[in-house]
Amino acid sequence: MPDDPARAAGPWAAATFLGGLSAGTVSELLTMGVRRQYASGATMLREGATAAHVVLLLTGFAKVTTAVEGLATLLGIRLPGEVVGEIGVLTGEPRNATVTACGRVGAVLVPRGDFEAFLRRRPEAATSVTAAVVRQLRWANRRRSEFAAFPAHLRLARVLTEIAEVCGQERPDGSVEITVPLSQPELATMIAIAQATMHKAVGELRERNLVATGYRRVVILDPAALRALGEGR
């Protein structure tokens, strides 16, 4: 990785934590931490552990899961430019979720004390962290409201559309491949349905020629039609 991490991995999406900060602020923050590379499947943060640092994602994606009755429940996917582990650091409580690398991930680890001092010096960064937490809560609340309002295949259409927006790669034929490996059980936990129901929902989207699936692989064949279905159109 180049010596200057601020130039190494940007730019990031404007809606992310790092993407919302000025170049000077990003450079200051990244030089406070230690750079790390994670292999695919590596645990970056573990649920229940002491929150000693935050992780800034420079490259690659990460899955956030929590244990519910002994089963890993997928809470969301974090993309380059986002901060993870911030809630535990800000509250002083143990980690409330496990974060796992999806493919190779480049990151910077900033110690808790340094991160807190940085937020006090940089009010715009503190505002950006708050906005990131609010976005996560809004996303979770929207998911919960959809559980009662939509049948399984519509919930699946909506969540696949949202995931594709942040980690989808368009192919020459106009289809979009989700670059993060996702299993059907993980997607089932994300939209709160049983695995048997997930199989039926996936089957319905396949029959409509909207998606193609393989082992931990999803390709959206007709992104516009999948979005329309999720929106009830």
Short mmCIF file of all heavy atoms in Angstrom, two decimals, residues 160-223:
data_model
loop_
_atom_site.label_atom_id
_atom_site.label_comp_id
_atom_site.label_asym_id
_atom_site.label_seq_id
_atom_site.Cartn_x
_atom_site.Cartn_y
_atom_site.Cartn_z
N LEU A 160 -32.02 -6.95 -1.97
CA LEU A 160 -31.02 -7.20 -3.01
C LEU A 160 -30.75 -5.93 -3.81
O LEU A 160 -29.60 -5.66 -4.18
CB LEU A 160 -31.49 -8.32 -3.95
CG LEU A 160 -31.45 -9.73 -3.37
CD1 LEU A 160 -32.00 -10.73 -4.39
CD2 LEU A 160 -30.05 -10.12 -2.94
N THR A 161 -31.78 -5.15 -4.06
CA THR A 161 -31.59 -3.88 -4.77
C THR A 161 -30.70 -2.95 -3.97
O THR A 161 -29.78 -2.31 -4.51
CB THR A 161 -32.95 -3.21 -5.04
OG1 THR A 161 -33.71 -4.04 -5.93
CG2 THR A 161 -32.77 -1.85 -5.68
N GLU A 162 -30.93 -2.86 -2.67
CA GLU A 162 -30.13 -1.98 -1.82
C GLU A 162 -28.69 -2.46 -1.73
O GLU A 162 -27.75 -1.65 -1.78
CB GLU A 162 -30.75 -1.88 -0.43
CG GLU A 162 -32.08 -1.14 -0.42
CD GLU A 162 -32.62 -0.93 0.98
OE1 GLU A 162 -31.91 -1.29 1.95
OE2 GLU A 162 -33.73 -0.41 1.12
N ILE A 163 -28.49 -3.76 -1.59
CA ILE A 163 -27.13 -4.29 -1.52
C ILE A 163 -26.39 -4.04 -2.84
O ILE A 163 -25.21 -3.66 -2.84
CB ILE A 163 -27.16 -5.79 -1.19
CG1 ILE A 163 -27.65 -6.01 0.25
CG2 ILE A 163 -25.77 -6.41 -1.36
CD1 ILE A 163 -27.87 -7.46 0.61
N ALA A 164 -27.08 -4.23 -3.95
CA ALA A 164 -26.45 -4.03 -5.26
C ALA A 164 -26.03 -2.58 -5.47
O ALA A 164 -25.05 -2.31 -6.17
CB ALA A 164 -27.40 -4.46 -6.37
N GLU A 165 -26.73 -1.65 -4.84
CA GLU A 165 -26.38 -0.24 -4.99
C GLU A 165 -25.03 0.08 -4.38
O GLU A 165 -24.33 0.98 -4.84
CB GLU A 165 -27.46 0.63 -4.36
CG GLU A 165 -28.75 0.69 -5.17
CD GLU A 165 -29.83 1.49 -4.46
OE1 GLU A 165 -29.63 1.86 -3.28
OE2 GLU A 165 -30.88 1.74 -5.08
N VAL A 166 -24.65 -0.65 -3.32
CA VAL A 166 -23.40 -0.33 -2.65
C VAL A 166 -22.27 -1.29 -3.01
O VAL A 166 -21.10 -0.92 -2.91
CB VAL A 166 -23.58 -0.30 -1.11
CG1 VAL A 166 -24.56 0.78 -0.71
CG2 VAL A 166 -24.02 -1.64 -0.56
N CYS A 167 -22.59 -2.52 -3.41
CA CYS A 167 -21.51 -3.46 -3.74
C CYS A 167 -21.86 -4.32 -4.94
O CYS A 167 -21.59 -5.51 -4.96
CB CYS A 167 -21.14 -4.32 -2.54
SG CYS A 167 -22.51 -5.15 -1.74
N GLY A 168 -22.47 -3.69 -5.93
CA GLY A 168 -22.79 -4.38 -7.17
C GLY A 168 -21.85 -3.96 -8.29
O GLY A 168 -21.39 -2.83 -8.34
N GLN A 169 -21.53 -4.90 -9.17
CA GLN A 169 -20.67 -4.62 -10.32
C GLN A 169 -21.45 -4.90 -11.60
O GLN A 169 -21.88 -6.03 -11.83
CB GLN A 169 -19.42 -5.48 -10.26
CG GLN A 169 -18.45 -5.22 -11.42
CD GLN A 169 -17.15 -6.00 -11.24
OE1 GLN A 169 -16.96 -6.68 -10.25
NE2 GLN A 169 -16.27 -5.89 -12.21
N GLU A 170 -21.61 -3.86 -12.40
CA GLU A 170 -22.38 -4.02 -13.64
C GLU A 170 -21.58 -4.83 -14.65
O GLU A 170 -20.38 -4.65 -14.83
CB GLU A 170 -22.74 -2.66 -14.23
CG GLU A 170 -23.66 -2.77 -15.44
CD GLU A 170 -24.21 -1.42 -15.89
OE1 GLU A 170 -23.82 -0.40 -15.30
OE2 GLU A 170 -25.01 -1.40 -16.84
N ARG A 171 -22.27 -5.74 -15.34
CA ARG A 171 -21.65 -6.58 -16.35
C ARG A 171 -22.02 -6.06 -17.74
O ARG A 171 -22.94 -5.25 -17.88
CB ARG A 171 -22.08 -8.03 -16.15
CG ARG A 171 -21.83 -8.49 -14.71
CD ARG A 171 -21.80 -9.98 -14.54
NE ARG A 171 -22.95 -10.67 -15.08
CZ ARG A 171 -23.13 -11.99 -14.98
NH1 ARG A 171 -22.26 -12.73 -14.32
NH2 ARG A 171 -24.19 -12.57 -15.50
N PRO A 172 -21.30 -6.49 -18.77
CA PRO A 172 -21.56 -5.97 -20.12
C PRO A 172 -23.00 -6.12 -20.59
O PRO A 172 -23.49 -5.30 -21.38
CB PRO A 172 -20.61 -6.79 -21.00
CG PRO A 172 -19.49 -7.15 -20.08
CD PRO A 172 -20.13 -7.38 -18.75
N ASP A 173 -23.70 -7.15 -20.13
CA ASP A 173 -25.07 -7.35 -20.58
C ASP A 173 -26.11 -6.56 -19.78
O ASP A 173 -27.30 -6.70 -19.99
CB ASP A 173 -25.43 -8.84 -20.53
CG ASP A 173 -25.35 -9.42 -19.12
OD1 ASP A 173 -25.02 -8.67 -18.18
OD2 ASP A 173 -25.62 -10.62 -18.97
N GLY A 174 -25.63 -5.71 -18.86
CA GLY A 174 -26.55 -4.88 -18.07
C GLY A 174 -26.97 -5.50 -16.75
O GLY A 174 -27.59 -4.84 -15.92
N SER A 175 -26.64 -6.77 -16.55
CA SER A 175 -26.92 -7.39 -15.27
C SER A 175 -25.92 -6.87 -14.23
O SER A 175 -24.90 -6.26 -14.57
CB SER A 175 -26.84 -8.91 -15.37
OG SER A 175 -25.52 -9.32 -15.71
N VAL A 176 -26.20 -7.11 -12.96
CA VAL A 176 -25.34 -6.62 -11.87
C VAL A 176 -25.01 -7.78 -10.94
O VAL A 176 -25.92 -8.44 -10.43
CB VAL A 176 -26.03 -5.49 -11.08
CG1 VAL A 176 -25.19 -5.11 -9.86
CG2 VAL A 176 -26.25 -4.27 -11.97
N GLU A 177 -23.73 -8.03 -10.75
CA GLU A 177 -23.31 -9.08 -9.82
C GLU A 177 -22.98 -8.46 -8.47
O GLU A 177 -22.24 -7.47 -8.39
CB GLU A 177 -22.10 -9.83 -10.36
CG GLU A 177 -21.65 -10.95 -9.44
CD GLU A 177 -20.64 -11.89 -10.07
OE1 GLU A 177 -20.28 -11.65 -11.24
OE2 GLU A 177 -20.24 -12.85 -9.40
N ILE A 178 -23.53 -9.03 -7.41
CA ILE A 178 -23.21 -8.58 -6.07
C ILE A 178 -21.85 -9.14 -5.70
O ILE A 178 -21.66 -10.37 -5.71
CB ILE A 178 -24.29 -9.01 -5.07
CG1 ILE A 178 -25.60 -8.27 -5.39
CG2 ILE A 178 -23.87 -8.74 -3.63
CD1 ILE A 178 -26.78 -8.68 -4.52
N THR A 179 -20.89 -8.26 -5.42
CA THR A 179 -19.51 -8.68 -5.25
C THR A 179 -19.22 -9.24 -3.87
O THR A 179 -18.14 -9.79 -3.64
CB THR A 179 -18.55 -7.51 -5.54
OG1 THR A 179 -18.87 -6.41 -4.67
CG2 THR A 179 -18.68 -7.06 -6.99
N VAL A 180 -20.14 -9.09 -2.93
CA VAL A 180 -19.97 -9.66 -1.60
C VAL A 180 -20.59 -11.05 -1.58
O VAL A 180 -21.75 -11.21 -1.98
CB VAL A 180 -20.64 -8.78 -0.54
CG1 VAL A 180 -20.66 -9.47 0.81
CG2 VAL A 180 -19.91 -7.45 -0.43
N PRO A 181 -19.85 -12.08 -1.16
CA PRO A 181 -20.45 -13.42 -1.10
C PRO A 181 -21.53 -13.49 -0.04
O PRO A 181 -21.29 -13.19 1.13
CB PRO A 181 -19.25 -14.32 -0.75
CG PRO A 181 -18.26 -13.42 -0.10
CD PRO A 181 -18.44 -12.08 -0.74
N LEU A 182 -22.74 -13.87 -0.44
CA LEU A 182 -23.88 -13.94 0.47
C LEU A 182 -24.57 -15.28 0.30
O LEU A 182 -24.89 -15.69 -0.81
CB LEU A 182 -24.87 -12.81 0.18
CG LEU A 182 -24.42 -11.38 0.47
CD1 LEU A 182 -25.43 -10.40 -0.10
CD2 LEU A 182 -24.27 -11.18 1.97
N SER A 183 -24.82 -15.94 1.41
CA SER A 183 -25.55 -17.20 1.36
C SER A 183 -27.05 -16.93 1.53
O SER A 183 -27.46 -15.88 2.05
CB SER A 183 -25.08 -18.14 2.47
OG SER A 183 -25.45 -17.63 3.74
N GLN A 184 -27.87 -17.89 1.10
CA GLN A 184 -29.31 -17.74 1.29
C GLN A 184 -29.69 -17.67 2.77
O GLN A 184 -30.56 -16.87 3.15
CB GLN A 184 -30.06 -18.85 0.56
CG GLN A 184 -30.01 -18.70 -0.95
CD GLN A 184 -30.95 -19.65 -1.67
OE1 GLN A 184 -31.93 -20.12 -1.11
NE2 GLN A 184 -30.65 -19.92 -2.93
N PRO A 185 -29.05 -18.47 3.66
CA PRO A 185 -29.35 -18.32 5.08
C PRO A 185 -29.05 -16.92 5.62
O PRO A 185 -29.80 -16.39 6.45
CB PRO A 185 -28.47 -19.38 5.75
CG PRO A 185 -28.33 -20.44 4.70
CD PRO A 185 -28.23 -19.68 3.41
N GLU A 186 -27.97 -16.31 5.15
CA GLU A 186 -27.64 -14.94 5.60
C GLU A 186 -28.71 -13.96 5.14
O GLU A 186 -29.15 -13.09 5.92
CB GLU A 186 -26.28 -14.53 5.06
CG GLU A 186 -25.11 -15.20 5.76
CD GLU A 186 -23.79 -14.86 5.12
OE1 GLU A 186 -23.74 -14.66 3.89
OE2 GLU A 186 -22.79 -14.83 5.85
N LEU A 187 -29.13 -14.06 3.89
CA LEU A 187 -30.18 -13.18 3.40
C LEU A 187 -31.49 -13.43 4.14
O LEU A 187 -32.24 -12.48 4.42
CB LEU A 187 -30.37 -13.38 1.89
CG LEU A 187 -29.25 -12.84 1.00
CD1 LEU A 187 -29.43 -13.33 -0.43
CD2 LEU A 187 -29.23 -11.32 1.04
N ALA A 188 -31.76 -14.68 4.48
CA ALA A 188 -32.98 -15.00 5.22
C ALA A 188 -33.00 -14.30 6.57
O ALA A 188 -34.03 -13.76 7.00
CB ALA A 188 -33.12 -16.51 5.39
N THR A 189 -31.85 -14.30 7.27
CA THR A 189 -31.81 -13.62 8.57
C THR A 189 -31.96 -12.12 8.42
O THR A 189 -32.54 -11.45 9.27
CB THR A 189 -30.50 -13.92 9.31
OG1 THR A 189 -29.38 -13.41 8.58
CG2 THR A 189 -30.32 -15.41 9.54
N MET A 190 -31.46 -11.58 7.31
CA MET A 190 -31.54 -10.14 7.11
C MET A 190 -32.99 -9.67 6.94
O MET A 190 -33.34 -8.57 7.36
CB MET A 190 -30.70 -9.72 5.90
CG MET A 190 -30.71 -8.22 5.62
SD MET A 190 -29.58 -7.74 4.30
CE MET A 190 -28.09 -7.45 5.22
N ILE A 191 -33.83 -10.50 6.33
CA ILE A 191 -35.22 -10.08 6.11
C ILE A 191 -36.20 -10.87 6.98
O ILE A 191 -37.40 -10.83 6.76
CB ILE A 191 -35.61 -10.18 4.62
CG1 ILE A 191 -35.45 -11.61 4.10
CG2 ILE A 191 -34.78 -9.21 3.79
CD1 ILE A 191 -35.90 -11.77 2.65
N ALA A 192 -35.65 -11.59 7.98
CA ALA A 192 -36.45 -12.26 9.01
C ALA A 192 -37.45 -13.27 8.44
O ALA A 192 -38.65 -13.20 8.72
CB ALA A 192 -37.16 -11.23 9.87
N ILE A 193 -36.96 -14.20 7.63
CA ILE A 193 -37.82 -15.27 7.14
C ILE A 193 -37.09 -16.59 7.34
O ILE A 193 -35.86 -16.64 7.49
CB ILE A 193 -38.18 -15.11 5.66
CG1 ILE A 193 -36.94 -15.11 4.77
CG2 ILE A 193 -39.01 -13.84 5.44
CD1 ILE A 193 -37.25 -15.05 3.28
N ALA A 194 -37.83 -17.67 7.35
CA ALA A 194 -37.25 -19.00 7.49
C ALA A 194 -36.53 -19.39 6.21
O ALA A 194 -36.83 -18.87 5.13
CB ALA A 194 -38.35 -20.02 7.80
N GLN A 195 -35.59 -20.34 6.32
CA GLN A 195 -34.83 -20.74 5.14
C GLN A 195 -35.73 -21.37 4.08
O GLN A 195 -35.51 -21.16 2.88
CB GLN A 195 -33.72 -21.71 5.54
CG GLN A 195 -32.61 -21.06 6.34
CD GLN A 195 -31.42 -21.96 6.53
OE1 GLN A 195 -31.07 -22.75 5.65
NE2 GLN A 195 -30.77 -21.86 7.68
N ALA A 196 -36.74 -22.10 4.50
CA ALA A 196 -37.66 -22.70 3.52
C ALA A 196 -38.39 -21.61 2.75
O ALA A 196 -38.61 -21.71 1.54
CB ALA A 196 -38.66 -23.61 4.22
N THR A 197 -38.77 -20.55 3.46
CA THR A 197 -39.44 -19.42 2.81
C THR A 197 -38.49 -18.70 1.87
O THR A 197 -38.87 -18.25 0.79
CB THR A 197 -39.98 -18.44 3.86
OG1 THR A 197 -40.81 -19.15 4.78
CG2 THR A 197 -40.79 -17.32 3.22
N MET A 198 -37.21 -18.63 2.28
CA MET A 198 -36.20 -18.01 1.41
C MET A 198 -36.06 -18.78 0.11
O MET A 198 -35.99 -18.19 -0.97
CB MET A 198 -34.86 -17.93 2.14
CG MET A 198 -33.68 -17.53 1.26
SD MET A 198 -33.87 -15.90 0.47
CE MET A 198 -33.62 -14.84 1.89
N HIS A 199 -36.04 -20.10 0.18
CA HIS A 199 -35.93 -20.90 -1.04
C HIS A 199 -37.08 -20.58 -2.00
O HIS A 199 -36.88 -20.46 -3.21
CB HIS A 199 -35.93 -22.39 -0.71
CG HIS A 199 -34.72 -22.85 0.04
ND1 HIS A 199 -33.46 -22.37 -0.22
CD2 HIS A 199 -34.58 -23.76 1.05
CE1 HIS A 199 -32.58 -22.95 0.58
NE2 HIS A 199 -33.24 -23.79 1.36
N LYS A 200 -38.30 -20.44 -1.45
CA LYS A 200 -39.45 -20.11 -2.29
C LYS A 200 -39.32 -18.71 -2.88
O LYS A 200 -39.65 -18.49 -4.06
CB LYS A 200 -40.73 -20.22 -1.46
CG LYS A 200 -41.07 -21.63 -1.02
CD LYS A 200 -42.33 -21.65 -0.17
CE LYS A 200 -42.66 -23.07 0.31
NZ LYS A 200 -43.86 -23.09 1.18
N ALA A 201 -38.84 -17.76 -2.06
CA ALA A 201 -38.70 -16.38 -2.54
C ALA A 201 -37.67 -16.30 -3.65
O ALA A 201 -37.89 -15.63 -4.68
CB ALA A 201 -38.32 -15.46 -1.38
N VAL A 202 -36.54 -16.98 -3.46
CA VAL A 202 -35.51 -17.00 -4.51
C VAL A 202 -36.06 -17.66 -5.77
O VAL A 202 -35.84 -17.19 -6.89
CB VAL A 202 -34.25 -17.72 -4.01
CG1 VAL A 202 -33.26 -17.95 -5.16
CG2 VAL A 202 -33.57 -16.93 -2.90
N GLY A 203 -36.79 -18.76 -5.58
CA GLY A 203 -37.38 -19.45 -6.72
C GLY A 203 -38.32 -18.55 -7.51
O GLY A 203 -38.33 -18.59 -8.75
N GLU A 204 -39.09 -17.74 -6.80
CA GLU A 204 -40.01 -16.84 -7.50
C GLU A 204 -39.26 -15.78 -8.30
O GLU A 204 -39.64 -15.46 -9.44
CB GLU A 204 -40.95 -16.16 -6.49
CG GLU A 204 -41.97 -15.26 -7.14
CD GLU A 204 -43.22 -15.08 -6.30
OE1 GLU A 204 -43.35 -15.76 -5.26
OE2 GLU A 204 -44.06 -14.26 -6.69
N LEU A 205 -38.18 -15.24 -7.73
CA LEU A 205 -37.40 -14.24 -8.47
C LEU A 205 -36.70 -14.88 -9.67
O LEU A 205 -36.55 -14.25 -10.72
CB LEU A 205 -36.38 -13.58 -7.55
CG LEU A 205 -36.94 -12.77 -6.36
CD1 LEU A 205 -35.81 -12.03 -5.66
CD2 LEU A 205 -38.01 -11.79 -6.82
N ARG A 206 -36.29 -16.14 -9.52
CA ARG A 206 -35.69 -16.85 -10.67
C ARG A 206 -36.71 -17.05 -11.77
O ARG A 206 -36.41 -16.87 -12.96
CB ARG A 206 -35.15 -18.20 -10.21
CG ARG A 206 -33.85 -18.17 -9.43
CD ARG A 206 -33.19 -19.54 -9.52
NE ARG A 206 -32.20 -19.76 -8.47
CZ ARG A 206 -32.40 -20.52 -7.41
NH1 ARG A 206 -33.56 -21.13 -7.22
NH2 ARG A 206 -31.44 -20.69 -6.52
N GLU A 207 -37.92 -17.48 -11.39
CA GLU A 207 -38.96 -17.73 -12.39
C GLU A 207 -39.31 -16.46 -13.17
O GLU A 207 -39.69 -16.53 -14.34
CB GLU A 207 -40.22 -18.26 -11.70
CG GLU A 207 -40.07 -19.69 -11.17
CD GLU A 207 -41.29 -20.15 -10.41
OE1 GLU A 207 -42.26 -19.37 -10.34
OE2 GLU A 207 -41.28 -21.29 -9.89
N ARG A 208 -39.17 -15.32 -12.53
CA ARG A 208 -39.43 -14.04 -13.20
C ARG A 208 -38.21 -13.55 -13.99
O ARG A 208 -38.22 -12.46 -14.54
CB ARG A 208 -39.80 -12.97 -12.17
CG ARG A 208 -41.13 -13.22 -11.45
CD ARG A 208 -41.27 -12.25 -10.28
NE ARG A 208 -42.50 -12.45 -9.53
CZ ARG A 208 -43.53 -11.61 -9.52
NH1 ARG A 208 -43.49 -10.50 -10.25
NH2 ARG A 208 -44.59 -11.86 -8.79
N ASN A 209 -37.14 -14.37 -14.00
CA ASN A 209 -35.87 -14.02 -14.69
C ASN A 209 -35.28 -12.71 -14.15
O ASN A 209 -34.71 -11.92 -14.91
CB ASN A 209 -36.09 -13.91 -16.20
CG ASN A 209 -36.41 -15.25 -16.83
OD1 ASN A 209 -35.80 -16.26 -16.49
ND2 ASN A 209 -37.37 -15.26 -17.74
N LEU A 210 -35.39 -12.54 -12.84
CA LEU A 210 -34.85 -11.34 -12.21
C LEU A 210 -33.47 -11.58 -11.59
O LEU A 210 -32.65 -10.67 -11.53
CB LEU A 210 -35.81 -10.83 -11.13
CG LEU A 210 -37.18 -10.37 -11.63
CD1 LEU A 210 -38.05 -9.93 -10.46
CD2 LEU A 210 -37.02 -9.22 -12.62
N VAL A 211 -33.23 -12.80 -11.13
CA VAL A 211 -31.94 -13.11 -10.51
C VAL A 211 -31.45 -14.47 -10.95
O VAL A 211 -32.24 -15.33 -11.38
CB VAL A 211 -32.02 -13.08 -8.96
CG1 VAL A 211 -32.50 -11.74 -8.45
CG2 VAL A 211 -32.88 -14.22 -8.44
N ALA A 212 -30.14 -14.65 -10.85
CA ALA A 212 -29.51 -15.95 -11.00
C ALA A 212 -28.64 -16.15 -9.77
O ALA A 212 -28.00 -15.20 -9.29
CB ALA A 212 -28.66 -16.01 -12.26
N THR A 213 -28.62 -17.35 -9.23
CA THR A 213 -27.87 -17.59 -8.00
C THR A 213 -26.97 -18.81 -8.15
O THR A 213 -27.24 -19.71 -8.93
CB THR A 213 -28.81 -17.81 -6.80
OG1 THR A 213 -29.64 -18.95 -7.05
CG2 THR A 213 -29.70 -16.58 -6.58
N GLY A 214 -25.89 -18.79 -7.37
CA GLY A 214 -24.98 -19.92 -7.27
C GLY A 214 -24.53 -20.00 -5.83
O GLY A 214 -25.15 -19.41 -4.94
N TYR A 215 -23.45 -20.69 -5.57
CA TYR A 215 -22.95 -20.82 -4.21
C TYR A 215 -22.44 -19.47 -3.73
O TYR A 215 -21.46 -18.95 -4.24
CB TYR A 215 -21.84 -21.87 -4.15
CG TYR A 215 -21.21 -21.99 -2.78
CD1 TYR A 215 -21.94 -22.54 -1.71
CD2 TYR A 215 -19.93 -21.53 -2.55
CE1 TYR A 215 -21.38 -22.64 -0.45
CE2 TYR A 215 -19.35 -21.64 -1.28
CZ TYR A 215 -20.08 -22.19 -0.24
OH TYR A 215 -19.53 -22.27 1.02
N ARG A 216 -23.16 -18.88 -2.75
CA ARG A 216 -22.80 -17.58 -2.16
C ARG A 216 -22.65 -16.50 -3.24
O ARG A 216 -21.81 -15.60 -3.12
CB ARG A 216 -21.53 -17.70 -1.32
CG ARG A 216 -21.64 -18.72 -0.20
CD ARG A 216 -20.37 -18.82 0.62
NE ARG A 216 -20.16 -17.60 1.40
CZ ARG A 216 -20.74 -17.36 2.57
NH1 ARG A 216 -21.59 -18.23 3.10
NH2 ARG A 216 -20.49 -16.26 3.21
N ARG A 217 -23.46 -16.61 -4.30
CA ARG A 217 -23.34 -15.69 -5.43
C ARG A 217 -24.72 -15.30 -5.92
O ARG A 217 -25.60 -16.15 -6.06
CB ARG A 217 -22.56 -16.37 -6.56
CG ARG A 217 -22.38 -15.55 -7.83
CD ARG A 217 -21.43 -16.30 -8.76
NE ARG A 217 -21.28 -15.61 -10.03
CZ ARG A 217 -22.00 -15.91 -11.11
NH1 ARG A 217 -22.91 -16.88 -11.07
NH2 ARG A 217 -21.81 -15.23 -12.24
N VAL A 218 -24.91 -13.99 -6.16
CA VAL A 218 -26.18 -13.49 -6.66
C VAL A 218 -25.91 -12.54 -7.82
O VAL A 218 -25.08 -11.62 -7.71
CB VAL A 218 -26.98 -12.74 -5.57
CG1 VAL A 218 -28.30 -12.22 -6.15
CG2 VAL A 218 -27.25 -13.64 -4.37
N VAL A 219 -26.59 -12.77 -8.93
CA VAL A 219 -26.53 -11.86 -10.08
C VAL A 219 -27.94 -11.35 -10.33
O VAL A 219 -28.88 -12.14 -10.46
CB VAL A 219 -26.00 -12.56 -11.34
CG1 VAL A 219 -26.03 -11.61 -12.54
CG2 VAL A 219 -24.58 -13.08 -11.10
N ILE A 220 -28.09 -10.04 -10.37
CA ILE A 220 -29.38 -9.44 -10.68
C ILE A 220 -29.47 -9.27 -12.20
O ILE A 220 -28.73 -8.47 -12.79
CB ILE A 220 -29.54 -8.09 -9.96
CG1 ILE A 220 -29.45 -8.31 -8.44
CG2 ILE A 220 -30.86 -7.43 -10.33
CD1 ILE A 220 -29.46 -7.04 -7.63
N LEU A 221 -30.33 -10.03 -12.82
CA LEU A 221 -30.41 -10.06 -14.29
C LEU A 221 -31.08 -8.83 -14.86
O LEU A 221 -30.72 -8.36 -15.94
CB LEU A 221 -31.15 -11.33 -14.73
CG LEU A 221 -30.54 -12.65 -14.28
CD1 LEU A 221 -31.42 -13.81 -14.71
CD2 LEU A 221 -29.12 -12.81 -14.82
N ASP A 222 -32.07 -8.30 -14.14
CA ASP A 222 -32.81 -7.13 -14.61
C ASP A 222 -32.98 -6.17 -13.44
O ASP A 222 -34.00 -6.20 -12.72
CB ASP A 222 -34.18 -7.56 -15.15
CG ASP A 222 -34.89 -6.44 -15.89
OD1 ASP A 222 -34.59 -5.26 -15.61
OD2 ASP A 222 -35.76 -6.73 -16.73
N PRO A 223 -31.98 -5.31 -13.18
CA PRO A 223 -32.01 -4.43 -12.02
C PRO A 223 -33.24 -3.53 -11.96
O PRO A 223 -33.83 -3.34 -10.89
CB PRO A 223 -30.73 -3.61 -12.16
CG PRO A 223 -29.82 -4.48 -12.97
CD PRO A 223 -30.71 -5.19 -13.93
#
